């Protein structure tokens, strides 16, 4: 499969405006309490950093990298922790930050894994949600945008490790 065209779905301005809203909502919800944002690399790197800038309560940034996909656009269902957190999250108010929830398998696995580490609370924030593709149930606390069942790139999201750097979110048009 080759990429023929990328059609802008959400502009940089639209994404930034929504991230400001999410940041304000999180700041209000945590009401002065510190939060620990766990960025799931690599996809949520751009989103997590922009979100962190819009949160007014104290923020701790942590990173974790998992692999759930090969080079294509279909879920393998296999989740692997490639790089684990470098610190304990015990007793912390944790927000897991994802780029996109598709089948939900990655998040279900991660949530179960992180719960065993005894955080004070554990919430989920995703930039994009594709509910039509859900295979396993996950409760999402903060959603940037709900999108239809189409493959997207940009703002951290990749196709075979490319296009993460696009400042907008676009639908991919492919040709065989
Ligand atoms: P899930 O386990 O099926 O929910 O997959 C979640 C992961 O799949 C995300 O963190 C992304 O890395 C990847 N993914 C799912 N849909 C897309 C997409 O439309 N574009 C780019 N990556 C995607
Ligand atoms: Mg990916």
């Amino acid at each position: 499969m080759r990429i023929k065209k990328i059609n802008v779905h959400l502009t940089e301005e639209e994404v930034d405006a929504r991230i400001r809203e999410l940041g304000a909502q999180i700041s209000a919800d945590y009401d002065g309490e510190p939060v620990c944002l766990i960025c799931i690399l690599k996809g949520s790197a751009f989103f997590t950093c922009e979100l962190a800038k819009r949160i007014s309560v104290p923020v701790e940034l942590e990173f974790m990298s998992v692999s759930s996909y090969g080079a294509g656009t279909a879920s393998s269902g296999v989740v692997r922790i490639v790089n684990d957190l470098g610190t304990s999250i015990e007793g912390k108010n944790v927000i897991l930050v994802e780029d996109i929830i598709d089948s939900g398998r990655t998040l279900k696995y991660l949530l179960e894994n992180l719960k065993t580490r005894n955080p004070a609370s554990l919430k989920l924030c995703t930039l994009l949600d594709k509910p039509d593709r859900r295979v396993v149930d996950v409760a999402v606390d903060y959603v940037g945008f709900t999108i239809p069942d189409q493959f997207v790139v940009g703002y951290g999201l990749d196709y075979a490790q490319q296009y993460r750097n696009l400042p907008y979110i676009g639908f991919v048009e492919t040709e065989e």
Side-chain angles (χ1 to χ4, degrees), residues 40-44 66 68-69 72-73 75-77 79 98-108 128 130 133-135 147 150-154 156-159 164 172:
I40 307 302
L41 294 170
K42 307 169 194 168
S44 78
V66 301
S68 59
Y69 274 24
T73 61
S75 175
S76 68
V79 183
E98 257 288 24
D99 52 355
I100 187 164
I101 307 178
D102 192 38
S103 71
R105 287 191 180 107
T106 307
L107 275 179
K108 186 176 187 302
L128 305 172
K130 270 192 212 171
R133 299 258 305 172
R134 204 70 95 251
V135 175
I147 61 167
Q150 283 184 56
F151 200 79
V152 286
V153 292
L157 291 123
D158 72 302
Y159 175 78
R164 292 191 196 277
V172 167

Side-chain angles (χ1 to χ4, degrees), residues 35-63:
V35 290
C36 172
L37 299 185
I38 297 183
C39 169
I40 307 302
L41 294 170
K42 307 169 194 168
S44 78
F46 293 76
F47 175 44
T48 307
C49 295
E50 291 305 309
L51 180 66
K53 283 157 61 180
R54 308 300 166 206
I55 294 176
S56 57
V57 299
V59 170
E60 177 185 339
L61 267 185
E62 299 296 340
F63 298 86

Side-chain angles (χ1 to χ4, degrees), residues 30 36 38 85 89 92-97 107-125 139-142:
Y30 286 84
C36 172
I38 297 183
L85 298 173
I89 53 165
K92 294 177 183 171
N93 291 313
V94 172
I95 304 179
L96 189 58
V97 186
L107 275 179
K108 186 176 187 302
Y109 172 83
L110 279 176
L111 285 174
E112 280 168 11
N113 182 296
L114 292 173
K115 264 184 213 152
T116 66
R117 308 183 194 195
N118 301 317
S121 64
L122 180 57
K123 285 195 182 184
L124 238 180
C125 177
V140 197
D141 302 283
Y142 305 101

